[in-house]
Amino acid sequence: PPLRINILMWSRVTLLLLQPAAITALSLRAAVIGGGLGGLTCCNALRKIGIDAQIYERAKQLSPQAGTGLTLWPNGLSALEAIDDGIIPKIMQAGFATQDIEVTSADGQTKLPNPTGDPRRFPSEYGHPMINIRWSKLQQVLASRLPVDSINLDCSLSSIEAKSGGGVSVNFHRQSSTPISLDFDFIVGADGINSALRQQLVGDGVPRDAGRTIWRSIIPFDDALLTKGGCSMSAGAGKVGFLTHIGENELYWSAFATDEAVEKSGLKKNEFADVKEYLLAQFADVYKLQPCLERTPVDAILERRVSDRAPLIDDAGKAAIPWANGADEAGTPLGIPATLLGDAFHAMIPSLGQGANSSFEGAYRLAAAMRGATTDAEVRAALREYEIAQMERVHWIVERSAAQGRTVYEDRDEFMRKQQEAQDDMWGVRFQPLVS
């Protein structure tokens, strides 16, 4: 059998949080590919409505140190609460609600308006606070809401095949043992921007490069750099520095630079002893990054290119789902009993902080669409309903994130104006409980 999650790597308290959903003998079976934030939330949501959903994750363990930091906005928290009303207190314990946001020029000499406004207003205005949290801690919280035996590790997706009688056969390869093939009523690809399932369904190759790089890490919190519950962003001349308190005694920092800014600097990474020495030189003029870099071990610095995926829409802005082909006698679209979620479906760059939050929305919409589905035709129709609703919700966020990611380096005033324009549309969405 697939390797099961070792819950002992977390605390004994975690065992008390497991909440197996009641599954009937006639339940649909679903494979959720990917044990990240979107996949775990999706699995939870599907199990809440009685679907026997299982996670299949390629890693051999869910590491308590994986990832860096992220921001949970009110829309994402609303979706999470609507899926599982016991989850928000656990998130609040693991992260920290934002109390103050500082925005400055790159050198820190000029204080700039904060387009987000006072974050303390969020609970009254949008229903939830703005919470910053370590990625791995949120993953632990989400995993703790599932039965232990619903998380299958060391399972990498190889391929899928639609079955003539309905459902799908899913093939996995494993590092530790022989490959396996399992049958499900449907499959959800929540396996990230380089999704293996997306390549089979869409085949659009590598992600869309945004022309910039991000470096990031987590260091011990220091109130000389930031107040508790604080965030600080400094931008200008093709470079951005960001710091935020993510709970307990931890501070997350990130540094962005455009390819143009890197070229203009004349600094060559291969001419430095290591990436830390390079970043100390490259970001010497960016507010607060120097002390963060000085306190970060070189092997704790993560580097990646910033990229996204072109939204799956037509020229009119309507969802255009490549695998949703064919229809039944009544004209109901059928296609393959498979779908995508989160970065696998609509990867976006992080300028609006909506990547994880939009995946939580997607998990809710998918489960809501699947309620009551029992036949193969109903399953496929529900998948198509979800895909249309989700893509038409998020495609503008993908494109606005891409545009904002460019504007923050080029025109701070325009960035501020566009950021304020998008706020209510992003954060104002609220969700009703998935199950009563």
Side-chain angles (χ1 to χ4, degrees):
L3 183 65
R4 300 294 183 178
I5 185 171
N6 180 7
I7 201 70
L8 295 179
M9 64 183 158
W10 297 336
S11 65
R12 293 183 180 179
V13 175
T14 303
L15 296 174
L16 302 177
L17 302 178
L18 300 175
Q19 297 185 346
I23 303 297
T24 68
L26 299 178
S27 292
L28 297 173
R29 296 187 69 241
V32 179
I33 310 302
L37 307 183
L40 292 167
T41 304
C42 179
C43 188
N44 192 1
L46 292 175
R47 295 181 74 88
K48 289 290 186 183
I49 62 166
I51 292 175
D52 182 7
Q54 295 277 323
I55 292 282
Y56 292 89
E57 163 59 41
R58 66 182 180 180
K60 288 188 175 182
Q61 67 173 1
L62 302 185
S63 170
Q65 300 301 317
T68 51
L70 78 156
T71 300
L72 299 177
W73 296 95
N75 58 305
L77 290 168
S78 178
L80 286 170
E81 183 177 53
I83 291 167
D84 182 347
D85 62 5
I87 206 167
I88 299 300
K90 304 302 177 186
I91 292 173
M92 293 291 290
Q93 290 173 11
F96 208 94
T98 304
Q99 304 297 312
D100 177 68
I101 299 174
E102 172 190 47
V103 182
T104 76
S105 57
D107 60 9
Q109 297 301 306
T110 304
K111 302 294 183 184
L112 301 173
N114 165 24
T116 304
D118 187 346
R120 293 172 297 182
R121 80 185 195 283
F122 279 26
S124 60
E125 191 163 334
Y126 298 112
H128 289 279
M130 168 187 174
I131 298 176
N132 291 297
I133 189 170
R134 188 174 186 136
W135 191 97
S136 58
K137 289 183 179 178
L138 180 56
Q139 184 188 43
Q140 290 174 27
V141 170
L142 295 173
S144 75
R145 312 302 288 180
L146 297 172
V148 175
D149 62 1
S150 69
I151 302 178
N152 306 275
L153 302 174
D154 190 18
C155 292
S156 296
L157 178 68
S158 299
S159 62
I160 65 166
E161 300 170 11
K163 300 171 63 180
S164 59
V168 61
S169 291
V170 183
N171 303 304
F172 299 97
H173 67 266
R174 296 179 290 172
Q175 300 176 54
S176 57
S177 59
T178 57
I180 55 173
S181 181
L182 302 170
D183 292 340
F184 298 91
D185 293 290
F186 65 98
I187 181 174
V188 182
D191 47 342
I193 192 169
N194 293 304
S195 166
L197 183 57
R198 183 184 179 103
Q199 287 314 304
Q200 185 164 342
L201 297 179
V202 184
D204 53 352
V206 299
R208 186 169 62 175
D209 189 85
R212 49 196 174 276
T213 303
I214 178 175
W215 296 267
R216 60 209 191 281
S217 192
I218 293 172
I219 60 175
F221 179 79
D222 184 345
D223 56 14
L225 293 173
L226 203 63
T227 59
K228 285 192 174 182
C231 292
S232 175
M233 185 181 84
S234 305
K239 299 176 186 178
V240 173
F242 180 77
L243 285 67
T244 188
H245 178 209
I246 57 172
E248 293 187 348
N249 189 38
E250 294 184 317
L251 185 154
Y252 165 65
W253 66 261
S254 61
F256 294 78
T258 63
D259 293 346
E260 292 82 359
V262 169
E263 183 177 0
K264 185 177 179 180
S265 74
L267 300 174
K268 307 291 185 182
K269 188 164 62 172
N270 60 6
E271 295 177 356
F272 290 82
D274 54 43
V275 67
K276 178 174 176 175
E277 293 302 314
Y278 168 71
L279 295 176
L280 283 166
Q282 187 64 258
F283 291 92
D285 56 349
V286 178
Y287 187 49
K288 293 186 177 181
L289 281 184
Q290 290 293 295
C292 291
L293 285 162
E294 288 167 356
R295 300 171 200 196
T296 306
V298 65
D299 58 359
I301 298 173
L302 302 180
E303 174 182 339
R304 73 171 175 86
R305 292 292 290 177
V306 177
S307 57
D308 66 0
R309 292 276 185 186
L312 299 176
I313 56 173
D314 60 22
D315 291 341
K318 299 296 183 182
I321 310 301
W323 60 91
N325 298 317
D328 63 13
E329 294 179 357
T332 303
L334 296 177
I336 301 172
T339 196
L340 300 174
L341 183 133
D343 281 351
F345 194 20
H346 43 69
M348 58 190 72
I349 69 169
S351 57
L352 295 178
Q354 283 295 308
N357 293 278
S358 62
S359 75
F360 302 148
E361 288 192 19
Y364 178 94
R365 290 192 181 93
L366 175 57
M370 292 299 302
R371 282 182 299 208
T374 56
T375 68
D376 180 61
E378 289 172 343
V379 166
R380 297 181 191 223
L383 294 176
R384 307 295 85 88
E385 176 187 336
Y386 148 73
E387 289 156 359
I388 292 170
Q390 181 68 4
M391 185 54 64
E392 294 190 358
R393 155 67 173 165
V394 303
H395 77 82
W396 71 270
I397 302 178
V398 174
E399 297 294 23
R400 179 63 65 87
S401 294
Q404 284 295 85
R406 292 187 297 270
T407 305
V408 68
Y409 301 100
E410 301 165 359
D411 187 336
R412 286 196 303 258
D413 292 340
E414 180 68 2
F415 173 84
M416 301 289 184
R417 186 177 68 81
K418 291 291 187 181
Q419 195 89 345
Q420 289 174 328
E421 283 180 1
Q423 289 180 174
D424 287 348
D425 289 337
M426 288 190 301
W427 306 334
V429 177
R430 298 197 187 189
F431 297 87
Q432 297 302 311
L434 186 61
V435 293
S436 56

